[in-house]
Amino acid sequence: MAKIHPFKAVRPTRDKVSLVACRSYQSYTPIERDSRMNYNPYSFLHIVNPGYKYQKEISGEERYKLVRNRYLEFKEDEIFIQDDNPCFYVYKIVNREQESFCGIIAAASAEDYHNDIIKKHEDTLKDRESTFKEYLKTVGFNAEPVLLTYPDNDFITKVISETVKTRAEYEFTTTYRDTHYLWKIDDKKSVQEIQDAFSSISIIYIADGHHRSASSYLLSQDLKENNPEHQGNEAYNFFMSYLIPESDLKIHEFNRLVKDLNGLTKQEFLIRLDEWFRIENRGIKAYKPSKPHHFSMYLDGEFYSLYLRKTAYKFTDALEELDAQILYKTVLEPILNIKDLRSDTRIGYSHGKNDIVLVKSMVDNKEYKVGFGLFPASIEQVKKIANEGLKMPPKSTYIEPKLRSGVTIYEF
């Protein structure tokens, strides 16, 4: 049964939350990052990019220590406060498309991650796990929740519905035109009822944040070994998560772009594709797949539809039914000789929130030779792959919602 706990969040004061909150550090270009830090002294970017203060790139242990220092300065200046009692936090996002996401920020069990109560669908890189573990150990906090999803639960849905009728602790709109809301739940009866409701759920799934989850588990083991008084309820045994019901999850595809045809002419390439797909030239009119196992392709100024020949490709497990895996097994690996999707510099990705026209423009601009559009995976596919203990190829899903950093912070 899932162990989901309340915690005492460190968070910005109400008047500064819109200034503190930021996107994930990696999502900014250097110019965007510097612009925000130049004009906003409260941005959480100042904490995670401490070298900015000295106009110097800083990495490794030196950076981690400076991150810790900047964080403590924000606390000392009372930009951050900490709640007195353990809370659950209802968090709602309404994006520019007026799609709404609503769930609960809480502490999830690292032991549940290890015991596969929290299930995974992506591989993680050991180096990244270890690096982030050392980062967490030095800074002593986590500011980006792991996105978890659970089967819709009537009681939890009712609690959320009743909570959002009250005045929010936070309400702010970003320059991306997403509006964020946060409510605290801290009365003991409600907190216990929410814990009990989650404890009735046997499996929870990671939607986004596999490396953060893995690193948090490694951290819990390190700190456990170094604590002779270990009890099992210490903060390091948990990691901050945003839990939303499956019905609220939005999954987009990641389209693929490749820089060359592996020495093949256009005609030779199309002939090789014909082994696996029924191909139709759609001309200059943009084509986007409308169902699983259909793909779009943009090549040499024209769109093509590619329909998988089911007599040529056999479905042996849940992974083999995933369109990202199908494209890899039929095109990317055997025809274009792209074997390692993580490290091959010939392949690029564009998530499905970007229009298929972006794929077209990147090919037209000669950045890539060919682009492929995919149909998004479903939550049922993600769960089935996780349940079978299989792992998706990199960049198989682009999952919303995307949270802001620095709105709630988990200390351990």
Side-chain angles (χ1 to χ4, degrees):
M1 301 295 106
K3 294 187 285 292
I4 304 298
H5 285 198
F7 68 102
K8 300 176 184 179
V10 175
R11 52 191 182 83
T13 56
R14 185 182 298 182
D15 61 315
K16 293 184 177 67
V17 62
S18 63
L19 298 170
V20 172
C22 70
R23 304 199 314 269
S24 173
Y25 177 81
Q26 293 82 4
S27 70
Y28 293 97
T29 67
I31 292 175
E32 286 178 324
R33 197 163 56 237
D34 287 349
S35 174
R36 280 158 174 76
M37 296 175 74
N38 282 337
Y39 298 105
N40 179 6
Y42 300 109
S43 174
F44 195 75
L45 290 171
H46 285 283
I47 293 177
V48 293
N49 187 26
Y52 174 83
K53 181 176 180 179
Y54 304 105
Q55 297 299 298
K56 179 184 176 183
E57 287 292 328
I58 301 173
S59 60
E61 185 67 19
E62 183 182 22
R63 173 177 171 259
Y64 306 163
K65 290 178 179 177
L66 289 177
V67 168
R68 176 69 178 171
N69 290 346
R70 294 292 88 74
Y71 173 66
L72 293 176
E73 288 169 8
F74 269 52
K75 291 185 73 175
E76 290 163 3
D77 292 341
E78 297 184 344
I79 298 167
F80 287 145
I81 57 173
Q82 184 168 25
D83 288 313
D84 295 327
N85 301 308
C87 305
F88 286 116
Y89 301 88
V90 173
Y91 198 100
K92 180 180 179 180
I93 304 171
V94 181
N95 66 18
R96 67 173 76 188
E97 292 87 12
Q98 294 304 300
E99 296 169 322
S100 179
F101 308 94
C102 198
I104 293 177
I105 295 177
S109 167
E111 184 182 21
D112 282 355
Y113 170 86
H114 178 66
N115 292 334
D116 218 26
I117 292 171
I118 297 175
K119 286 189 174 287
K120 313 92 178 162
H121 65 264
E122 288 183 7
D123 274 328
T124 52
L125 300 175
K126 297 300 180 184
D127 285 350
R128 282 186 63 189
E129 290 179 16
S130 179
T131 297
F132 194 59
K133 179 202 73 173
E134 293 303 320
Y135 170 83
L136 292 174
K137 185 185 288 188
T138 301
V139 303
F141 69 86
N142 195 345
E144 293 188 18
V146 172
L147 182 62
L148 301 179
T149 189
Y150 60 90
D152 287 42
N153 177 284
D154 288 342
F155 178 79
I156 298 173
T157 298
K158 180 181 178 183
V159 169
I160 292 173
S161 297
E162 292 298 319
T163 300
V164 300
K165 293 176 183 177
T166 63
R167 181 177 183 268
E169 180 76 11
Y170 296 153
E171 179 180 351
F172 64 97
T173 300
T174 71
T175 53
Y176 263 44
R177 290 179 288 166
D178 299 335
T179 302
H180 296 246
Y181 306 84
L182 181 137
W183 295 262
K184 282 198 318 180
I185 299 178
D186 60 358
D187 67 277
K188 291 183 179 180
K189 181 174 182 293
S190 297
V191 164
Q192 188 60 55
E193 287 175 341
I194 293 170
Q195 278 191 268
D196 292 344
F198 276 114
S199 70
S200 71
I201 298 173
S202 58
I203 295 174
I204 289 174
Y205 297 85
I206 299 176
D208 190 20
H210 285 77
H211 281 94
R212 279 170 282 153
S213 303
S215 300
S216 296
Y217 172 70
L218 292 178
L219 176 71
S220 72
Q221 297 307 293
D222 266 17
L223 297 182
K224 173 183 176 181
E225 290 174 7
N226 291 307
N227 181 10
E229 306 297 326
H230 175 83
Q231 299 292 319
N233 57 356
E234 296 87 353
Y236 59 73
N237 294 292
F238 299 85
F239 56 94
M240 184 168 64
S241 300
Y242 181 44
L243 297 110
I244 70 169
E246 292 172 6
S247 59
D248 261 18
L249 205 64
K250 179 74 172 180
I251 304 178
H252 300 276
E253 72 279 11
F254 261 106
N255 299 317
R256 274 79 169 124
L257 299 110
V258 182
K259 291 186 176 180
D260 60 67
L261 298 183
N262 192 32
L264 300 172
T265 66
K266 175 183 173 181
Q267 289 71 27
E268 289 170 337
F269 179 57
L270 289 171
I271 289 170
R272 292 286 301 274
L273 287 179
D274 194 81
E275 176 186 353
W276 298 102
F277 302 95
R278 292 175 57 191
I279 305 172
E280 183 178 344
N281 188 322
R282 301 277 181 150
I284 61 172
K285 185 177 180 181
Y287 169 73
K288 188 172 182 177
S290 60
K291 60 192 295 187
H293 314 329
H294 287 190
F295 302 83
S296 68
M297 181 175 72
Y298 184 71
L299 173 66
D300 198 21
E302 296 178 309
F303 283 94
Y304 295 80
S305 59
L306 309 178
Y307 296 169
L308 182 68
R309 296 184 186 276
K310 295 180 182 178
T311 54
Y313 186 92
K314 302 301 181 185
F315 300 139
T316 56
D317 55 38
L319 179 60
E320 295 302 315
E321 296 184 34
L322 184 73
D323 282 355
Q325 179 74 354
I326 291 170
L327 190 69
Y328 174 69
K329 298 292 286 187
T330 60
V331 181
L332 300 180
E333 183 184 37
I335 301 176
L336 297 179
N337 196 34
I338 294 174
K339 300 186 183 301
D340 190 337
L341 295 173
R342 294 184 183 276
S343 62
D344 198 313
T345 58
R346 295 168 55 225
I347 189 167
Y349 303 91
S350 173
H351 62 70
K353 283 210 78 176
N354 296 326
D355 196 274
I356 194 70
V357 174
L358 179 62
V359 172
K360 174 184 184 300
S361 67
M362 295 173 83
V363 174
D364 288 342
N365 291 337
K366 311 300 183 185
E367 297 175 63
Y368 295 92
K369 179 66 177 178
V370 61
F372 299 94
L374 284 69
F375 189 76
S378 67
I379 183 59
E380 288 75 22
Q381 282 183 293
V382 173
K383 289 170 59 178
K384 193 174 180 183
I385 288 169
N387 289 342
E388 292 183 16
L390 303 170
K391 301 296 184 291
M392 292 182 173
K395 302 290 187 183
S396 291
T397 56
Y398 179 84
I399 297 180
E400 289 188 296
K402 300 293 185 186
L403 274 71
R404 295 267 155 163
S405 297
V407 178
T408 57
I409 298 170
Y410 183 79
E411 292 188 337
F412 35 81

